[in-house]
Amino acid sequence: DVKVTQSSRYLVKRTGEKVFLECVQDMDHENMFWYRQDPGLGLRLIYFSYDVKMKEKGDIPEGYSVSREKKERFSLILESASTNQTSMYLCASSLPRGMNTEAFFGQGTRLTVV
Amino acid sequence: GENVEQHPSTLSVQEGDSAVIKCTYSDSASNYFPWYKQELGKRPQLIIDIRSNVGEKKDQRIAVTLNKTAKHFSLHITETQPEDSAVYFCAASQGGATNKLIFGTGTLLAVQP
């Protein structure tokens, strides 16, 4: 059974704090994604990684950075949390090519910045 | 980069009716178009997908159509049931080496019993 696991389901942080969101997958997928989900805005891509130490900016990278030191782990970092970063964060992973490129999602982290 | 637009944002149907959700994409290089269903409080899960070499694909009550010329693709659900109530997302990607996946804004489907 495929698994993408996010380290926290709920998180409350203060404005200005550095925040780490962790994601681990056990499917040996090359691709990993961080999305932000807000009502009416769908799933917006923050960052994407297609290999260890490789990353690409998504549509809304401002205020975020990422780290992928190992294939199975992809971290999202909020350098200085702000209230407008209060949101649901979803991690996903997939194979890059072939017939089965389904993206598998984690359970989500609901982050509140106060 | 790719931009995916999705309509309608909300859709209410009576049980047994059909539901249609439409998406358009901007990048003609996109060649993979999945649809995800997200039930309340749960993670999105793939329900059907289509690749650019196919015009239509069906899986029981769910079908997806693709018009590459117009850059449109649609999800069709027939004989809707209350358990079809969820948020549905379309997405597009170019596949290839990186398979970056860009999503639409979602459609909240409510099936009234």
Side-chain angles (χ1 to χ4, degrees), chain B:
Chain B
E2 177 64 274
N3 182 49
V4 178
E5 293 191 0
Q6 183 172 348
H7 299 280
S9 57
T10 60
L11 181 59
S12 182
V13 300
Q14 290 296 124
E15 183 177 357
D17 287 351
S18 295
V20 180
I21 303 170
K22 298 183 179 182
C23 289
T24 60
Y25 62 98
S26 62
D27 193 337
S28 57
S30 290
N31 57 19
Y32 175 64
F33 307 94
W35 286 87
Y36 284 77
K37 176 183 180 181
Q38 186 179 29
E39 296 176 354
L40 188 62
K42 297 192 175 179
R43 67 192 78 188
Q45 291 192 295
L46 180 73
I47 55 170
I48 195 167
D49 57 13
I50 192 167
R51 296 183 187 275
S52 58
N53 58 349
V54 175
E56 183 173 357
K57 184 176 178 181
K58 193 171 181 181
D59 183 4
Q60 298 182 348
R61 295 186 297 109
I62 293 173
V64 57
T65 58
L66 171 64
N67 182 331
K68 285 174 57 181
T69 304
K71 296 184 196 163
H72 288 172
F73 58 113
S74 299
L75 178 71
H76 304 254
I77 306 174
T78 58
E79 300 171 22
T80 53
Q81 300 167 4
E83 52 265 38
D84 294 329
S85 296
V87 178
Y88 291 82
F89 293 99
C90 62
S93 87
Q94 294 179 16
T98 59
N99 196 21
K100 189 164 143 181
L101 203 55
I102 302 299
F103 283 86
T105 49
T107 297
L108 174 61
L109 173 64
V111 180
Q112 309 296 335

Side-chain angles (χ1 to χ4, degrees), chain A residues 38-58:
Chain A
D38 299 288
L41 298 177
L43 299 166
R44 292 182 292 168
L45 183 64
I46 305 171
Y47 264 100
F48 163 63
S49 171
Y50 52 91
D51 203 347
V52 175
K53 297 190 187 294
M54 306 304 289
K55 62 186 178 185
E56 274 189 25
K57 292 180 180 179

Side-chain angles (χ1 to χ4, degrees), chain A residues 11-55:
Chain A
L11 214 50
V12 180
K13 296 292 181 181
R14 294 196 179 277
T15 302
E17 275 193 79
K18 190 169 186 176
V19 181
F20 293 85
L21 302 184
E22 307 285 347
C23 176
V24 176
Q25 51 97 1
D26 65 358
M27 296 166 284
D28 202 35
H29 285 170
E30 284 84 353
N31 290 352
M32 295 190 76
F33 310 80
W34 275 106
Y35 292 93
R36 171 176 170 161
Q37 183 172 17
D38 299 288
L41 298 177
L43 299 166
R44 292 182 292 168
L45 183 64
I46 305 171
Y47 264 100
F48 163 63
S49 171
Y50 52 91
D51 203 347
V52 175
K53 297 190 187 294
M54 306 304 289
K55 62 186 178 185

